[in-house]
Amino acid sequence: MLHHVQIACPEGSEDVLRAFYVGVLGMVEKPKPPKLAARGGCWFVDPYGAELHLGVEADFRPARKAHPAIIRPDLDALAARLTAAGHPVTWPDPTEIPGTPRFHTEDPHGNRLEFLNPPA
């Protein structure tokens, strides 16, 4: 079982991350241990158990291809929330992975994220 996935973020972007990951995606912020909190970044837990850590990277570049894939049973509602908030939602060709509805989006820093329905 996977514990968490970490992606990078620029320094000082914690408020922007909270607005997106909590405000739009509905995640809950998980407090970082004090020694790690001093490094910046944020940790989030999805309502369905996925944990995502965003860590500060001095020479930040967004992950455009590499990405976490997070299972969400509320896929259509989540896509609608992202679209309403001005974030891109791209639904791949459903024949690529038959029977697995999914879409890609980007966080405010351009990191690619994938969301998909639970396996049948």
Side-chain angles (χ1 to χ4, degrees):
M1 177 182 279
L2 188 65
H3 182 270
H4 71 271
V5 173
Q6 179 164 318
I7 57 179
C9 66
E11 184 176 2
S13 65
E14 290 82 2
D15 288 342
V16 171
L17 296 171
R18 289 180 184 106
F20 178 74
Y21 286 96
V22 175
V24 178
L25 297 184
M27 293 182 160
V28 174
E29 186 169 2
K30 179 179 179 177
K32 292 178 70 172
K35 285 189 178 184
L36 296 180
R39 299 179 190 170
C42 302
W43 291 359
F44 300 101
V45 179
D46 181 86
Y48 305 98
E51 193 165 319
L52 188 61
H53 295 184
L54 284 105
V56 171
E57 192 169 280
D59 187 21
F60 171 76
R61 288 179 311 230
R64 302 259 184 222
K65 181 73 173 173
H67 61 277
I70 301 170
I71 293 173
R72 290 287 295 251
D74 62 338
L75 203 60
D76 292 328
L78 180 60
R81 279 201 320 273
L82 283 158
T83 299
H87 297 278
V89 172
T90 305
W91 297 86
D93 179 344
T95 63
E96 290 178 347
I97 306 176
T100 306
R102 63 196 178 102
F103 67 81
H104 294 98
T105 191
E106 297 176 356
D107 77 3
H109 302 304
N111 289 308
R112 186 179 192 195
L113 304 169
E114 180 177 2
F115 293 94
L116 60 156
N117 273 148

